[in-house]
Amino acid sequence: MPKPDLAEFLRLVERHGITHTFLPPTLIYMLLGHPALESTDLRSLQCFWYGAAPISPARLEEALTRIGPVMAQLFGQSEAPMMISVLPPKDHFNLGWFDRSAPALLGRTARPRW
């Protein structure tokens, strides 16, 4: 896609059974506000990567609820061409750490201490 087009993005995920994708938080926020989100079949998604900027804990919780438990965080930089930090989908729910009482955990680049 040469430019962000969320209607086309949703159509392509459903039509081709996309399993893995990436969007920065600003586009995820726009996707959450898109009228076609609720009627689009996203069951094929196994991993929905986000990164390149911090994500709002409230909007991440909304994405986990509305898109599904497939959200995965990554960060990288030009000196590290791939990713340098990863938070896989299962760790968004690991031992119940993602709750409203501890939103600061999403602001760290470290493994949570249990």
Side-chain angles (χ1 to χ4, degrees):
M1 296 177 59
K3 64 179 184 172
D5 180 338
L6 295 173
E8 180 69 358
F9 172 83
L10 290 169
R11 189 184 71 71
L12 290 172
V13 169
E14 184 174 59
R15 180 177 179 198
H16 296 290
I18 303 297
T19 58
H20 291 69
T21 193
F22 172 89
L23 287 179
T26 51
L27 287 176
I28 291 173
Y29 301 162
M30 293 169 65
L31 186 66
L32 291 171
H34 198 281
L37 178 62
E38 300 304 325
S39 62
T40 302
D41 182 358
L42 301 176
R43 290 178 295 174
S44 64
L45 283 176
Q46 297 172 16
C47 191
F48 193 133
W49 292 105
Y50 65 92
I55 193 166
S56 156
R59 298 309 300 267
L60 176 57
E61 185 175 10
E62 182 182 356
L64 288 164
T65 301
R66 294 179 62 207
I67 296 170
V70 296
M71 305 306 291
Q73 184 182 85
L74 64 85
F75 284 95
Q77 59 188 24
S78 58
E79 294 84 4
M82 294 303 287
M83 56 194 95
I84 61 171
S85 173
V86 175
L87 182 65
K90 68 178 180 65
D91 285 346
H92 281 74
F93 298 96
N94 195 5
L95 300 177
W97 72 264
F98 186 75
D99 62 38
R100 292 170 202 237
S101 65
L105 289 174
L106 290 173
R108 296 185 199 163
T109 305
R111 184 134 180 95
R113 293 183 182 177
W114 309 120

